[in-house]
Amino acid sequence: MAEGLPRSPDGLTIMIGPMNSFYDERPQDDPQLVIAKEGRTDFTAKRDGLIYFRYAYSGFSAALPPIDVAIVRGGSSIPLYVKGKTSFEDWRKMLTDMPGAPFVEMISERVAITATRKVYMRAPQDDPAEILDTLEQILGWYDALSGLDGSSKLHRASRLRMHYQQDTVTPPKVFDDGIYMYAGNYFIGAPGSNMGDLLDVNKLRQAWSIWHETGHMYQQQDWTWGEIVETTVNIYSLNAQAHFGHPSRLKERDDSTGKTPLDLAARYLARKTRDFDNEKQMRVSADDDDELWARLVMFDQLRRGLGEDFYPKLHRYYREHPLDDANEQNAVMVQTFILRASTVANQDLTRFFSDWGLHIEQETADRLKRLNLPPADSQLSRVGLNVASR
């Protein structure tokens, strides 16, 4: 039953089942959506799953008023931990009192975690507050890296909760290829065998893959062209790794090649000719993915060489100057990134990007020249590497 609903296209939607599926979604796996009306709304659930209430506001009508919602018949309760309201003792009692509940859920102001009871009971069963605090800490670091400082509405962190949820709909065989977790539309999905890592505080503080998937939620489309989607996401992973006090993954040696990402970058930069788009130039063997890591070194050099405020400034600049659809093509995005990175750094980065093999079109070179920026250090592309100067 709902009371106080607005008379506008915005309103309350009842959602049964999670919005998650890795790929090849099947209609039967989609959540059931029911538009609520003022007063009583009766419906029959066509699938299993938790019931959520989505109170949507498009921003084009008057602000939505508070409403009262109550379930008057049907459904069953699950253990629900609410940070700041539920004690650890109350949580343990809920788990004992509801042994048949198929799911458990934990929420804080910025995070929601949904897992099957079976997976949760196999985890260390740490205090939910500590798990939620750790995830909120990561989001806070990523907010800062992304320039979400609250200086304006444009630079305000999302009010939506980041939802980490166990994927209970994707066929298990889909995950046989080694999928650990995946990023969806403001949620992180995980097969059951891996969801337990997110419920273990000690693993969470070392879990690169969880930091990685969370980072996908912060990538800005306007400077994430096709070849670097799985590279720039690790700008955020490196940030979490550093905050947790771990050595940089850029210094970790690969078991099969014996090389670190820094070694791969140095090897690539030592070539007489370089093409940033040609992954073969960065690979030790033809069937690996070394280019993801070699390219990451370039993006980390921008942070190390230009300062910790470079990426917050870059994120803010892109939010203030979004690309239109016509310019969201890979080639245009690359040229725009070269220009904007130079603008934000207040340095001409032509030499740096040329060293890394990014093609700079004549129009871009002319525009950079008109900006009349001082040239960046000629050794910027050597930061952190043991290579000869050019």
Side-chain angles (χ1 to χ4, degrees):
M1 180 175 290
E3 297 181 354
L5 288 176
R7 293 185 177 181
S8 76
D10 298 329
L12 179 68
T13 301
I14 304 167
M15 186 172 81
I16 304 94
M19 294 189 70
N20 69 334
S21 185
F22 182 56
Y23 65 82
D24 289 340
E25 294 92 341
R26 302 173 300 179
Q28 64 266 35
D29 294 332
D30 291 338
Q32 179 184 353
L33 302 177
V34 179
I35 305 300
K37 58 181 182 290
E38 180 75 18
R40 184 175 177 130
T41 300
D42 291 313
F43 65 93
T44 300
K46 297 179 180 178
R47 58 157 298 171
D48 294 332
L50 298 184
I51 298 176
Y52 294 99
F53 297 94
R54 189 170 62 188
Y55 196 33
Y57 173 49
S58 65
F60 295 103
S61 59
L64 295 180
I67 61 173
D68 294 317
V69 178
I71 298 176
V72 296
R73 183 169 58 87
S76 58
S77 299
I78 66 165
L80 174 64
Y81 179 95
V82 181
K83 183 187 169 188
K85 294 183 179 180
T86 309
S87 69
F88 191 39
E89 291 72 23
D90 290 339
W91 172 245
R92 301 299 301 168
K93 187 175 186 302
M94 278 190 274
L95 292 170
T96 300
D97 292 347
M98 290 182 268
F103 297 97
V104 300
E105 190 160 86
M106 296 159 272
I107 63 173
S108 63
E109 184 177 350
R110 300 198 61 191
V111 173
I113 302 172
T114 308
T116 61
R117 178 190 176 90
K118 181 178 180 181
V119 165
Y120 177 79
M121 297 306 289
R122 288 178 176 174
Q125 298 177 41
D126 293 323
D127 187 339
E130 193 172 4
I131 298 171
L132 293 165
D133 283 346
T134 302
L135 287 168
E136 286 200 344
Q137 189 176 41
I138 294 169
L139 296 183
W141 294 333
Y142 289 7
D143 288 345
L145 181 63
S146 303
L148 294 169
D149 55 8
S151 57
S152 70
K153 289 184 178 180
L154 192 61
H155 304 311
R156 185 174 61 192
S158 174
R159 294 179 177 178
L160 300 176
R161 288 188 179 97
M162 188 75 74
H163 197 172
Y164 297 85
Q165 55 185 340
Q166 183 176 336
D167 187 327
T168 58
V169 299
T170 300
K173 64 180 181 180
V174 172
F175 295 121
D176 288 345
D177 291 336
I179 302 301
Y180 179 78
M181 289 186 179
Y182 64 91
N185 188 10
Y186 220 66
F187 75 84
I188 309 298
S193 57
N194 298 330
M195 187 67 187
D197 289 352
L198 193 136
L199 302 170
D200 184 330
V201 172
N202 289 329
K203 289 185 177 179
L204 183 56
R205 290 171 177 159
Q206 303 177 59
W208 177 276
S209 293
I210 297 174
W211 311 336
H212 171 101
E213 299 304 338
T214 303
H216 276 305
M217 302 296 101
Y218 284 82
Q219 282 179 295
Q220 292 179 307
Q221 181 176 329
D222 288 355
W223 57 282
T224 308
W225 59 93
E227 290 81 5
I228 64 168
V229 173
E230 293 300 330
T231 292
T232 57
V233 64
N234 285 326
I235 294 171
Y236 309 95
S237 310
L238 286 172
N239 182 270
Q241 188 174 50
H243 274 100
F244 279 123
H246 303 308
S248 173
R249 187 160 180 177
L250 296 179
K251 298 179 180 180
E252 291 182 15
R253 295 197 177 278
D254 181 84
D255 291 338
S256 60
T257 66
K259 296 186 180 299
T260 69
L262 294 175
D263 293 334
L264 296 172
R267 176 176 174 269
Y268 166 73
L269 289 168
R271 293 176 56 91
K272 291 183 178 180
T273 59
R274 296 166 301 285
D275 180 357
F276 192 78
D277 293 335
N278 187 345
E279 65 273 6
K280 293 180 180 179
Q281 293 186 1
M282 302 181 186
R283 293 181 176 181
V284 175
S285 58
D287 58 350
D288 60 28
D289 59 359
D290 290 336
E291 70 277 7
L292 302 180
W293 301 100
R295 288 169 178 159
L296 180 59
V297 173
M298 184 192 82
F299 288 97
D300 193 56
Q301 285 178 334
L302 290 171
R303 175 193 65 83
R304 295 183 61 180
L306 301 176
E308 296 292 342
D309 61 345
F310 172 76
Y311 279 114
K313 287 181 178 178
L314 184 70
H315 282 80
R316 285 194 293 268
Y317 192 92
Y318 267 94
R319 281 194 294 273
E320 292 166 357
H321 305 89
L323 299 184
D324 55 35
D325 292 342
N327 288 320
E328 287 188 346
Q329 303 173 29
N330 283 357
V332 177
M333 291 166 72
V334 172
Q335 300 305 307
T336 303
F337 178 75
I338 292 169
L339 278 167
R340 293 186 171 187
S342 296
T343 300
V344 167
N346 198 34
Q347 299 179 46
D348 188 332
L349 297 171
T350 297
R351 171 68 181 272
F352 174 75
F353 288 123
S354 295
D355 283 350
W356 271 98
L358 273 78
H359 172 67
I360 301 178
E361 296 179 358
Q362 187 59 50
E363 180 183 355
T364 303
D366 292 342
R367 292 178 66 181
L368 279 169
K369 188 174 182 179
R370 288 196 295 272
L371 290 175
N372 197 30
L373 299 171
D377 189 326
S378 62
Q379 299 306 303
L380 181 57
S381 63
R382 271 55 188 161
V383 170
L385 305 181
N386 184 21
V387 293
S389 301
R390 287 186 181 275

